[in-house]
Amino acid sequence: MTLHLSIFLWLPAAAGVLGLLSRSDKLARALAVLGALGSLGYAITAVVDYDRDTGGLQYVTDRTWISELGIHYKLGLDGLNLFLILLTAVLFLAAILWSMRTPIERERHYWLHLGIGQTAVLGALMAQDLALFVAFFDLMLIPFFFLTIGWSTAENKTGAVLKLVIYTLVGSLLMLVAAIGIAVLTKDASGNDLTFVLSDLTATTLPEGSQDWIFLCFAAAFLVKMPAFPFHGWMPDGYKAMPLPVLAVFSGVLSKVAAYGFLRIVCPTLPDAAVEFQTLMLIIGLLSIVYGSAVAFTTTNARLILGYSSLAQLGFILLGVFALNPQGAQGAILQSVNHGLVVAPAFFLVALAAERARGSEDIRDMGGLAFKAPIIAVLFLIVALANLAIPGSSNFVGEFFILLGVFNAKVAIAAIAFTGVALASVYSLRLFIRVMHNRTGAETEGREISVRDGLVLVPLVLAIIALAFYPQLALQKGEKDITGAVATAFEKSDPEQFAKETGGSAEPAAAQAVTPGAGAGQAIDPATGAPAGGQAVQIDPQTGLPIDPNTGQPIQIDPDQLPAEAQEVTP
């Protein structure tokens, strides 16, 4: 099947522009829904049609954009971004439908910004050119800036947005410097023309010193956007200022683009630096888990409970990425999808609880809804149990893969990270109990969920349940490409484990050169036992030496001509 990714990419923004030009709020609303539905249809079709056996980039669009700079308009889908794109389509549609619950001022502009925001996220996920990725990554912030400034009711919205812009702008500038640096250095190292295409950048290994500073620039940009501790200074005010539907997609999707960037860009192009800073990144992930969990079960603002729990969950995702092995990377992608599916309905449920507590988002003003609104309570319970990664949920599978990967990489860090699982149960159950049970708040109303709200929430909760029953769908579709993204870093960080899992050899090249059955200086193919050239070798039964196929005589190996480390294994 042929999928035109450009249509998929630009459909939401085009719907927003047409809605703005229509001069009709009702038509603009309908166009926004149709654009989001079209994107969801494209995403579902891509997931169903994607050939996991072939793997690699599929449905590729590749056009030269700025030839002088080697920048391409290159889009593609693979196992690394496939389900993140589906998640984006699902959550933006849910946010649009949820926004329609109440009247919106300047409605046509609101739908325009949401459409541009969705296109920017999709573009960052689909981009296979580094310059294109940077452009979409920076574009993501602009519509959310206007959505917060224009439609937030928070008193401190200006200060909150200013702080968000300063943090992310610094990170974006560092990423731009890193992108230019990696392209120029790759050109110098390879002798080829300047290019930003990711496959071309990955094909050339840069010197370790160059990799280090480029890695730190990318890491700063991604850690701010996630956010991770201690780069989260913008998060408390930003989360309190954003309109709830906007916050649902910001927390559910935009933060995952940063984690995805580590796997798409950093690990394949900067493998030596990824290994060099592995322990540092794991410690940052660990601190995010502990700090986020501790604050989540001490604060009383429901938004911030979800915000700091997201900080902790993103810490787990960071651990998975920098386990630098297939198990951790698969867990990171799966957990990114899991968290997005959980946090969006959690924010919507907090909105329902706040409406029944006279607009207060303080959990001390809530309570007692379980008997008055049992459907809301059931939906909230499913979301809370998924958030704490109860066995049987897809979140449990994601965290299991992450912890398994970290255990194989750094046992001590894995042991401490296990406490994050226990801490998640504390803040998740505390939020559920204080909102749904406990004493009834003085101003609490007992109203059940409406059909309109149920049409948004119930499908999201059903998606959580469906993924819990069959997480293999995401794991199997993405296995080959996710494994490939960390393969080079995995081999450099743990060559013995890499050899065990891939069937490759972790022996030094000099030792391979004198393996019995090979000629001098000729390596053995581990899959066939033949020399790397592919021709089978005959062994002389008397000397044990390989026979030269041209002369029929044993090949004499002079130990003095071999490297010192290889002489010990000379036949």
Side-chain angles (χ1 to χ4, degrees):
M1 181 182 296
T2 300
L3 289 178
H4 297 285
L5 294 187
S6 290
I7 298 176
F8 184 10
L9 171 61
W10 297 105
L11 183 59
V17 171
L18 291 175
L20 180 65
L21 297 176
S22 69
R23 300 186 178 278
S24 168
D25 289 346
K26 186 176 295 185
L27 180 56
R29 189 184 314 140
L31 287 170
V33 173
L34 288 175
L37 282 173
S39 292
L40 179 59
Y42 255 93
I44 293 173
T45 302
V47 170
V48 172
D49 187 62
Y50 184 81
D51 186 352
R52 73 177 189 187
D53 296 325
T54 302
L57 286 178
Q58 299 179 23
Y59 323 113
V60 176
T61 297
D62 189 0
R63 299 286 186 274
T64 301
W65 183 15
I66 306 175
S67 58
E68 293 81 0
L69 299 178
I71 299 176
H72 284 231
Y73 174 76
K74 185 176 181 181
L75 309 174
L77 299 183
D78 62 6
L80 202 59
N81 60 14
L82 189 64
F83 280 87
L84 292 175
I85 285 171
L86 177 60
L87 174 70
T88 301
V90 168
L91 295 194
F92 268 93
L93 176 60
I96 288 171
L97 295 177
W98 194 265
S99 300
M100 294 165 58
R101 300 172 66 248
T102 56
I104 303 173
E105 296 181 359
R106 305 181 306 283
E107 187 171 346
R108 290 177 291 123
H109 294 83
Y110 181 87
W111 304 127
L112 172 67
H113 291 306
L114 271 182
I116 293 174
Q118 183 174 356
T119 288
V121 174
L122 290 173
L125 293 172
M126 292 184 196
Q128 303 302 321
D129 181 280
L130 183 54
L132 190 65
F133 174 87
V134 171
F136 280 120
F137 189 85
D138 291 339
L139 177 62
M140 289 193 305
L141 177 64
I142 297 174
F144 285 87
F145 169 85
F146 287 111
L147 285 166
T148 304
I149 285 291
W151 287 271
S152 172
T153 57
E155 295 180 359
N156 66 331
K157 63 181 180 181
T158 302
V161 170
L162 182 61
K163 188 181 295 185
L164 170 61
V165 169
I166 291 173
Y167 268 82
T168 55
L169 183 61
V170 171
S172 295
L173 290 174
L174 289 174
M175 184 167 63
L176 179 60
V177 171
I180 295 172
I182 194 173
V184 172
L185 291 172
T186 298
K187 172 183 177 294
D188 295 339
S190 66
N192 298 324
D193 294 334
L194 185 67
T195 181
F196 286 85
V197 176
L198 290 175
S199 57
D200 296 337
L201 299 178
T202 304
T204 302
T205 302
L206 298 179
E208 292 186 18
S210 299
Q211 288 192 35
D212 288 349
W213 72 263
I214 294 173
F215 176 94
L216 292 174
C217 289
F218 276 120
F222 292 146
L223 292 174
V224 166
K225 185 78 74 161
M226 288 179 73
F229 180 88
F231 304 91
H232 68 291
W234 62 267
M235 190 268 288
D237 291 339
Y239 269 48
K240 287 192 291 186
M242 290 184 192
L244 251 169
V246 175
L247 179 56
V249 291
F250 190 96
S251 181
V253 176
L254 269 73
S255 60
K256 311 307 181 299
V257 177
Y260 162 83
F262 279 117
L263 286 173
R264 173 63 74 190
I265 298 171
V266 173
C267 290
T269 60
L270 308 169
D272 293 301
V275 175
E276 175 72 20
F277 294 104
Q278 179 186 25
T279 301
L280 173 63
M281 301 303 292
L282 290 175
I283 291 174
I284 290 175
L286 195 61
L287 291 174
S288 298
I289 293 171
V290 175
Y291 176 81
S293 299
V295 179
F297 63 70
T298 56
T299 187
T300 59
N301 184 286
R303 282 196 195 213
L304 291 186
I305 293 174
L306 294 177
Y308 282 106
S309 73
S310 297
L311 181 67
Q313 293 300 315
L314 288 164
F316 271 109
I317 293 169
L318 192 62
L319 288 185
V321 171
F322 282 94
L324 298 182
N325 54 42
Q327 298 89 353
Q330 281 190 280
I333 291 295
L334 179 60
Q335 194 65 5
S336 296
V337 177
N338 290 335
H339 179 257
L341 280 178
V342 168
V343 77
F347 278 117
F348 295 152
L349 286 163
V350 163
L352 294 181
E355 290 174 358
R356 287 153 178 77
R358 295 291 192 270
S360 174
E361 294 178 351
D362 194 314
I363 58 174
R364 294 171 296 185
D365 297 328
M366 302 175 185
L369 286 179
F371 291 104
K372 299 177 180 179
I375 296 178
I376 294 179
V378 169
L379 294 175
F380 209 137
L381 178 62
I382 294 172
V383 170
L385 293 178
N387 194 44
L388 64 85
I390 191 171
S393 67
S394 183
N395 296 62
F396 174 80
V397 177
E399 288 190 4
F400 179 85
F401 268 82
I402 289 171
L403 292 172
L404 176 62
V406 178
F407 183 85
N408 289 332
K410 305 285 183 182
V411 176
I413 290 179
I416 301 174
F418 272 106
T419 62
V421 179
L423 295 173
S425 65
V426 176
Y427 60 70
S428 296
L429 292 178
R430 172 176 175 261
L431 176 62
F432 173 75
I433 291 170
R434 291 300 298 264
V435 174
M436 291 293 128
H437 294 285
N438 215 3
R439 63 184 183 279
T440 303
E443 302 293 331
T444 301
E445 298 178 3
R447 286 187 286 113
E448 187 55 279
I449 189 172
S450 66
V451 174
R452 178 186 57 191
D453 296 340
L455 289 175
V456 179
L457 272 171
V458 172
L460 291 175
V461 173
L462 290 178
I464 295 172
I465 296 172
L467 197 56
F469 275 104
Y470 196 62
Q472 294 94 324
L473 178 65
L475 291 171
Q476 292 172 355
K477 290 272 188 179
E479 180 179 6
K480 182 175 294 186
D481 298 304
I482 295 171
T483 300
V486 296
T488 304
F490 181 28
E491 183 178 13
K492 291 177 180 292
S493 66
D494 194 346
E496 292 185 4
Q497 187 65 27
F498 177 83
K500 289 179 182 179
E501 295 192 15
T502 63
S505 176
E507 293 179 301
Q512 294 181 23
V514 294
T515 303
Q522 192 172 19
I524 286 292
D525 184 341
T528 65
Q535 183 179 358
V537 173
Q538 293 182 344
I539 304 298
D540 182 77
Q542 295 181 351
T543 64
L545 294 173
I547 296 175
D548 189 330
N550 297 320
T551 65
Q553 300 299 318
I555 299 173
Q556 300 299 322
I557 301 176
D558 185 356
D560 294 334
Q561 296 180 358
L562 294 174
E565 57 267 36
Q567 293 179 16
E568 299 179 1
V569 292
T570 302

